[in-house]
Amino acid sequence: MRKQRQVDATSLMAFFSELSEQTLFSRFMIALPTVPPSIFERLCDVDGNRHVGIVALDSNGNLIAEARYIRDQDSETSAEFALSIAEGWRGIGLATSMMKEIETEAQKNGIETLWADVLAENASMLALARKLGYQISRNPHDPCCKLLRKRLSSVQEMKEAA
């Protein structure tokens, strides 16, 4: 695993183009036959602080998973996260590793809370969230979604624990 770089744009486009429509629907919560340029541009706009992306590659250098957080506009210490795993790479612990990595990066950058809206039918993401200690609640704005939220240790708490 490594941080996403601007040069990953082609790999990222290829990765998303190979995901099923159901996977794209679970990831973006809208029906998409392909990722539109406007969304793709945002996915590639990583800066290492406000927007951090982590990618995993197979032995041939093909992108097989991506995770990211984007800092909330109204809070410097809260960020929304997202995760996508290629269909052939699920069920082997990659999602857990990707989430732990994105949590670590978020903590390093002063993020105290990670959150995401997830479709209520997305059983695998809900199971992963439970396993990783996320609080799962009803989304008050959308009955089709669940709100995942986890308070991370702050940098100060990490130093005190060391």
Side-chain angles (χ1 to χ4, degrees):
M1 277 180 271
R2 64 173 171 77
K3 284 188 178 180
Q4 179 185 329
R5 301 179 303 236
Q6 288 299 100
V7 295
D8 292 324
T10 303
S11 296
L12 199 59
M13 184 177 278
F15 170 74
F16 279 107
S17 72
E18 294 190 15
L19 296 179
S20 69
E21 285 187 34
Q22 180 58 46
T23 298
L24 290 173
F25 183 73
S26 292
R27 170 64 166 76
F28 298 104
M29 294 191 287
I30 55 174
L32 294 171
T34 61
V35 178
S38 60
I39 292 176
F40 186 71
E41 286 173 22
R42 284 194 309 247
L43 293 173
C44 291
D45 185 24
V46 294
D47 65 6
N49 182 18
R50 180 190 60 79
H51 181 178
V52 172
I54 302 292
V55 294
L57 308 173
D58 67 11
S59 60
N60 296 320
N62 299 312
L63 199 144
I64 56 171
E66 62 90 29
R68 66 191 61 252
Y69 76 77
I70 299 175
R71 198 179 294 264
D72 293 347
Q73 289 183 354
D74 59 347
S75 172
E76 285 295 308
T77 61
S78 180
E80 182 178 14
F81 75 87
L83 170 71
S84 299
I85 308 291
E87 276 86 355
W89 292 89
R90 295 183 186 159
I92 61 169
L94 184 56
T96 300
S97 296
M98 296 291 288
M99 283 302 300
K100 287 181 179 179
E101 187 72 21
I102 208 70
E103 288 175 2
T104 298
E105 286 298 317
Q107 286 176 304
K108 286 181 194 174
N109 288 322
I111 302 295
E112 296 174 5
T113 303
L114 281 177
W115 66 274
D117 284 323
V118 175
L119 292 171
E121 66 192 39
N122 191 341
S124 59
M125 189 64 207
L126 293 172
L128 176 63
R130 274 187 209 91
K131 174 181 166 183
L132 295 176
Y134 283 78
Q135 294 176 325
I136 302 171
S137 60
R138 186 179 66 78
N139 183 317
H141 306 290
D142 188 345
C144 295
C145 291
K146 298 287 186 181
L147 177 62
L148 310 181
R149 185 174 298 278
K150 182 176 183 179
R151 186 176 187 302
L152 305 173
S153 300
S154 69
V155 173
Q156 183 62 33
E157 289 170 331
M158 291 168 46
K159 287 179 183 176
E160 290 171 4

